[in-house]
Amino acid sequence: MSKYNFGIVGLGVMGRNLLLNMADHGYAVAGLDLDKEKVDSLQDEAQEGHQIFATVEAEAFVKSLEQPRAIMLLVPAGNPVDGVIKTLSPLLDEGDIIIDGGNSYFKDTDRRYEELSAKGIHFFGMGISGGESGARRGPSMMPGGNREAYERLRPIFEAIAAKVDGQPCVEFLGNGSAGNYVKMVHNGIEYGIMQLIAETYDIMKKVYKLDNETIQKAFEQWNKEELNSFLIEITADILKKKEDGKLLVDLISDWAKSKGTGKWTSQNAMDLQVPVPVIDAAVNMRDISKYKPERIEASRVLVWDNNANAPIADIKHIKEALFFAIISTYAQGLAQLKVASDAYGYELDLETVCKIWRGGCIIRATLLEDFRKAFATNADLPNILLDKAIAEKLNSTQSSIRTLLKDVIEQGTPASGFMNALSYFDAYRAEHLPTNLIQAQRDYFGAHTYERVDKDGVFHTQWDQQN
Ligand code: 6PG
């Protein structure tokens, strides 16, 4: 009996779509799910020519696979991943590969990698981006683990991945949990850009008093220009969608849930001491959005009597402000990847990361090709803001974000994504920061000592004694 080339555990939307994508490319694929309905519905979806087998039994699933086996898990992050590994590992042999395709926390991946390596099983943490349609038609995939074992997975992943200029949006990224880490930061950037787009929509409405149609048309146009990206494109679609003659977005409540990857990005950035203020702001804003009753109360107590007239809208300036802020967000996430790569020994190549983010994933954008070029010119670039071509884009659009923020502040509309995008730029380009005063304060109250610009050494002063 001929065996199946690849196995997928978890036949929810992502698992089913990836499995069908593999089957489209001529691979024989087996699926496992405890839910009989999901198993049956997969069989129903199979098209002519597909070689698919699905079961609820782990043993039958494992036996159906050619050796060494390659099994991808598409189950919710956390305990379910450990549960499946516990069920499968006694049935597996040395040299088999398990790939976790979920949004797992990278430290869990490190632990699983160690545990499975001890049994001779290769473990990959592989971020997959692109949602359900990406999984079906071509996602961006971010695998990390063992480089040699990856060679066995390469053909199938390259076949099913999104393509940009004929190049697949998948590449081995690095050791251990590199794949999950890169996907986590991808999601952090996703949070940042989504927040900036939401602020843009709000500012256009509340500060510049533009109507829905004008806002929608602007996003549609921007997607044809240098802001071209998946998130701008879907925003233009969302702003068109009506229900009973009303814009659907206006009927949606103004608070949003989150599954945790944005928060993890911020938390780990703090651990690594890398500033990612737009991502932090995006996480904060989702949190504050959930304080609806308090916000309603506060809206009556905390008032700003703004007598200024609505400023004149300039769509080009709004676009440039968003463009500036989005670059600032990517810069923060990519800088975090650089520091994390050194801290965790991932050996990431940021040109490769930008290359595989150009298609398939949620943060895909024309700009990614500019960032890829920046790392192609200088692989050690600590921050894309130092690349001449990128710096030029920011220098030429900064006046627009400054004007936008003046209007926003005057009107009292929240825009912490935009504010943080600009302050990051202004802090990063500041040759002198007021941190000398902070050194002095620490030394004053805690004798923490300080360093000086005029001589070497470590100093302490009795600050409260007069000269
Ligand atoms: C992707 C998405 C995907 C998922 C997010 C949503 O790359 O395809 O990022 O992973 O939609 O996890 O995250 P929140 O629920 O935290 O917004």
Side-chain angles (χ1 to χ4, degrees), residues 131-153:
E132 45 184 294
S133 70
R136 186 70 185 85
R137 287 189 232 112
S140 171
M141 292 179 284
M142 297 152 236
N146 178 291
R147 191 178 284 275
E148 280 160 37
Y150 180 71
E151 289 310 314
R152 278 165 34 208
L153 302 171

Side-chain angles (χ1 to χ4, degrees), residues 103 128-131 183 186-187 190-191 257-262 286 362:
N103 276 333
I128 303 178
S129 180
K183 177 60 171 42
H186 164 286
N187 282 28
E190 170 187 304
Y191 270 57
K257 291 185 196 153
S258 42
K259 290 205 197 108
T261 41
R286 283 205 201 183
I362 303 297

Side-chain angles (χ1 to χ4, degrees), residues 55-96:
T55 175
V56 289
E57 284 171 24
E59 218 171 312
F61 167 76
V62 171
K63 276 198 182 140
S64 76
L65 297 171
E66 69 182 15
Q67 288 176 271
R69 302 175 186 90
I71 300 174
M72 175 141 70
L73 318 184
L74 282 147
V75 297
N79 292 338
V81 175
D82 289 313
V84 176
I85 291 175
K86 202 168 159 204
T87 307
L88 289 183
S89 47
L91 305 171
L92 300 181
D93 295 299
E94 272 192 31
D96 286 349

